[in-house]
Amino acid sequence: MTETVTEPSAAAAAGSKSEQAYRAVKARIVEGTYSPGYRLVLGSIAKDLGVSVVPVREAIRRLEAEGLVTFERNVGATVAGIDPTEYLYTMQTLSIVEGAATALSAPLIDAVAISRARAVNEEMRACLNHFDPVRFTRLNQDFHSVLFEHCPNPHILDLVHRGWNRLAALRSSTFRFVPGRAHESVNEHEALLQLIESGAAADEIEKAARLHRSATLDAYLAQSKQ
């Protein structure tokens, strides 16, 4: 008996291309290649990705549902701006839960982890010379991950991950808007590491981690009012 080999359906193929287009466009929005207000021309994007306009249109619709894209009359699809209220609430929440997670993690962070975090922070310091806000933000997350991933409370850790994911959805590279804050951030990282190394009290570590996050929010809010 001869088996019949069926070709992938047109719908499946289109779905695959739609997913590829979705991931590609979303990545460019998150990384800042497509900045807020950037006009998303379907034909140009399709040509760039090597697909037809159809999967790109489907991808844009998904991104619109996620709040990353808006449609304007006589303009078309554009990259949505950052909602300052949503950013405020996200950063306020993250300062609380990440501070708690870092304090709970502190007794479990060994010398190897401290060394790894310090190496990342030195990369961030080197990044200041030719500032790349997207890379700096990525390194910043790597640094903090070392400090909070040891948190023994899975519920708090889940809230921290949700906060970071929400920031990514907001395309929040705060340092793009307040690059001067990056210098202070690196120094605060080192101070936080020294607190953990010295076996400081949990409430002292939590306060330092919380204020570190809040200072970035305060710098952003001050800049946005100018």
Side-chain angles (χ1 to χ4, degrees):
M1 182 177 179
T2 304
E3 293 185 1
T4 301
V5 179
T6 58
E7 294 293 330
S9 67
S16 176
K17 290 181 179 180
S18 175
E19 180 66 23
Q20 292 174 14
Y22 165 77
R23 290 178 181 274
V25 176
K26 184 172 184 176
R28 294 176 184 184
I29 292 175
V30 170
E31 293 171 358
T33 303
Y34 295 163
S35 58
Y38 181 88
R39 186 167 175 242
L40 299 167
V41 181
L42 303 188
S44 297
I45 295 173
K47 183 178 180 180
D48 186 38
L49 298 179
V51 298
S52 70
V53 171
V54 175
V56 175
R57 182 180 294 113
E58 293 174 353
I60 297 299
R61 286 173 179 166
R62 287 178 62 182
L63 293 167
E64 181 189 17
E66 294 178 9
L68 295 178
V69 170
T70 59
F71 276 92
E72 298 180 32
R73 188 175 182 181
N74 300 323
V75 176
T78 59
V79 176
I82 295 173
D83 184 337
T85 301
E86 181 66 18
Y87 177 74
L88 169 64
Y89 293 158
T90 299
M91 287 291 280
Q92 285 178 335
T93 302
L94 193 54
S95 70
I96 295 170
V97 295
E98 189 176 350
T102 301
L104 290 171
S105 293
L108 305 174
I109 299 175
D110 59 18
V112 174
I114 289 287
S115 178
R116 187 165 75 251
R118 185 163 278 130
V120 172
N121 199 42
E122 287 307 309
E123 284 190 63
M124 296 176 73
R125 194 182 301 279
C127 187
L128 296 174
N129 297 325
H130 302 285
F131 193 57
D132 177 351
V134 174
R135 180 168 181 265
F136 190 89
T137 297
R138 189 179 302 116
L139 289 169
N140 186 54
Q141 182 170 3
D142 290 344
F143 173 86
H144 284 286
S145 293
V146 176
L147 302 191
F148 65 65
E149 284 295 352
H150 292 79
C151 179
N153 185 320
H155 298 291
I156 292 177
L157 191 56
D158 178 63
L159 291 173
V160 174
H161 288 155
R162 286 170 183 260
W164 278 98
N165 289 337
R166 193 168 288 114
L167 284 181
L170 289 168
R171 301 165 326 285
S172 177
S173 175
T174 309
F175 302 105
R176 183 191 305 278
F177 305 102
V178 284
R181 170 64 190 147
H183 292 264
E184 299 171 0
S185 183
V186 169
N187 293 333
E188 290 167 10
H189 285 174
E190 177 57 32
L192 190 54
L193 289 176
Q194 290 180 16
L195 279 177
I196 295 172
E197 281 181 313
S198 68
D203 59 347
E204 187 177 359
I205 294 173
E206 180 174 356
K207 182 180 180 181
R210 187 174 70 250
L211 290 178
H212 169 67
R213 176 68 57 188
S214 297
T216 300
L217 171 60
D218 291 342
Y220 175 81
L221 293 177
Q223 177 67 27
S224 65
K225 291 178 181 178
Q226 293 180 4

